[in-house]
Amino acid sequence: MQAVLKEFILMGLSENQGVQKVCFVMFLFFYMIIVAGNLLIVITVFSSQRLNSPMYFFLCHLSFLDICYSSITAPRMITDFLVENKTISFAGCMAQLFGVHFFGCTEIFILTVMAYDRYTAICRPLHYTTLMTRHACGRMVIGSWVGGFVHSIVQTFLITRLPFCGPNQIDHYFCDVHPLLQLACTDTDVMGIIVVANSGMITLSCFFILVVSYIVILVSLRSQTSKGRHKALSTCGSHIIVVILFFGPCTFTYIRPSSNLSEDKSVAVFYTVITPMLNPLIYTLRNEEMKSAMRKLWSRRVGSGKGK
């Protein structure tokens, strides 16, 4: 069934003019940090010969995903703080819905793969080089991207089949499944269950795998030396922080049936803006190899600049 509505109106985070101006400055600053910080990680990993382990290969993809994921929602949100007409076309809304779920779901799978990498490195160190080959890592990354694409196609297809003929105001700052289900001119109870089964169960099952893997890692650390425990906890600690910041809000949003909660858009800020902004800080400040590679990259840039 074709949609009757040609466009939607995004209500944004706040309708208060003063709050919108403050939010414009704040989120513009956040978005600049997201792009600059994650781009720096990508450039550093590509430029450094020492950062060639699977962990940094996955981290590079995670940083690229953070840039893409935030760029689907943040620029539009920042622009809407300054304009009165916050309309978005039906096609643009569906494209945003597809992008959010594509990059978001792919990031979930990449974080799960990173946990498997840490489990293999710590719990099965003798088999690490045979299990985590370049070919195997490549297949894991491709599988993550394909899985995110399939998930997003399903979500987008289900929403585009709904009739939209009434209210067109989306109480959110981007097009997402739950706010759109509230506007459909039909009973969406069954569709809400399908959405939970699709988005919610992916999030919950991956989160369960992550929790189990880190429990196994922490238990196995008891038999290692204090130096080994410190190194393992240092690398795993960063990943655990990112997992909590990303999966906590995602689980709250997608594991429950569709409902019109005003808190949804505030919670969404965490996994669309805050976590992508903090990822570069978390992974660099707690990682001596990354900090050393960044210093060398910076010194080479400065040295070449002076040479010119």
Side-chain angles (χ1 to χ4, degrees), residues 162-201:
L162 293 174
F164 296 97
C165 54
N168 66 340
Q169 292 185 335
I170 300 176
D171 189 19
H172 216 301
Y173 62 90
F174 67 91
C175 293
D176 202 4
V177 174
H178 288 313
L180 287 169
L181 287 176
Q182 300 298 320
L183 301 182
C185 303
T186 186
D187 184 15
T188 58
D189 289 343
V190 175
M191 189 68 71
I193 294 173
I194 296 174
V195 167
V196 170
N198 191 9
S199 296
M201 291 313 297

Side-chain angles (χ1 to χ4, degrees), residues 268-285:
V269 170
F270 279 91
Y271 57 83
T272 59
V273 178
I274 303 300
T275 303
M277 180 184 66
L278 293 178
N279 276 357
L281 296 175
I282 292 170
Y283 279 108
T284 55
L285 293 179

Side-chain angles (χ1 to χ4, degrees), residues 26-268:
M26 182 173 64
F27 282 101
L28 178 61
F29 177 68
F30 287 168
Y31 182 63
M32 291 171 63
I33 293 177
I34 290 170
V35 175
N38 285 288
L39 189 60
L40 179 60
I41 287 181
V42 174
I43 294 172
T44 302
V45 173
F46 269 105
S47 302
S48 176
Q49 296 181 348
R50 294 182 60 187
L51 304 180
N52 58 358
S53 66
M55 180 177 71
Y56 296 110
F57 174 70
F58 296 135
L59 178 58
C60 187
H61 280 271
L62 180 66
S63 295
F64 176 73
L65 278 167
D66 279 337
I67 295 173
C68 296
Y69 189 41
S70 294
S71 297
I72 293 294
T73 58
R76 172 79 202 204
M77 174 179 63
I78 293 167
T79 304
D80 284 347
F81 286 134
L82 298 181
V83 298
E84 290 187 14
N85 186 19
K86 298 179 175 61
T87 59
I88 183 171
S89 66
F90 181 84
C93 187
M94 294 303 107
Q96 191 178 55
L97 173 68
F98 174 84
V100 166
H101 283 266
F102 175 42
F103 293 117
C105 187
T106 304
E107 182 157 341
I108 286 175
F109 290 142
I110 289 291
L111 287 170
T112 307
V113 168
M114 291 175 74
Y116 174 73
D117 172 66
R118 291 300 85 206
Y119 161 77
T120 309
I122 295 171
C123 299
R124 305 183 66 183
L126 298 178
H127 300 89
Y128 183 74
T129 54
T130 57
L131 291 174
M132 301 301 293
T133 62
R134 185 178 295 272
H135 183 64
C137 293
R139 285 188 298 178
M140 290 179 192
V141 168
I142 292 173
S144 298
W145 284 94
V146 171
F149 179 79
V150 172
H151 160 76
S152 188
I153 282 289
V154 172
Q155 294 289 75
T156 307
F157 176 77
L158 291 174
I159 295 299
T160 54
R161 302 302 296 173
L162 293 174
F164 296 97
C165 54
N168 66 340
Q169 292 185 335
I170 300 176
D171 189 19
H172 216 301
Y173 62 90
F174 67 91
C175 293
D176 202 4
V177 174
H178 288 313
L180 287 169
L181 287 176
Q182 300 298 320
L183 301 182
C185 303
T186 186
D187 184 15
T188 58
D189 289 343
V190 175
M191 189 68 71
I193 294 173
I194 296 174
V195 167
V196 170
N198 191 9
S199 296
M201 291 313 297
I202 288 176
T203 306
L204 190 62
S205 58
C206 288
F207 184 64
F208 177 76
I209 292 171
L210 287 163
V211 170
V212 171
S213 66
Y214 279 108
I215 290 175
V216 173
I217 288 172
L218 292 174
V219 171
S220 67
L221 289 178
R222 293 185 301 176
S223 59
Q224 297 194 17
T225 63
S226 59
K227 184 178 180 180
R229 284 197 297 269
H230 177 74
K231 184 177 180 179
L233 288 173
S234 178
T235 55
C236 291
S238 302
H239 194 245
I240 291 172
I241 294 171
V242 171
V243 166
I244 293 173
L245 290 175
F246 188 80
F247 276 86
C250 280
T251 303
F252 171 81
T253 302
Y254 295 110
I255 199 61
R256 56 180 173 74
S258 180
S259 59
N260 189 19
L261 281 180
S262 58
E263 294 85 358
D264 276 7
K265 53 187 177 183
S266 300
V267 171

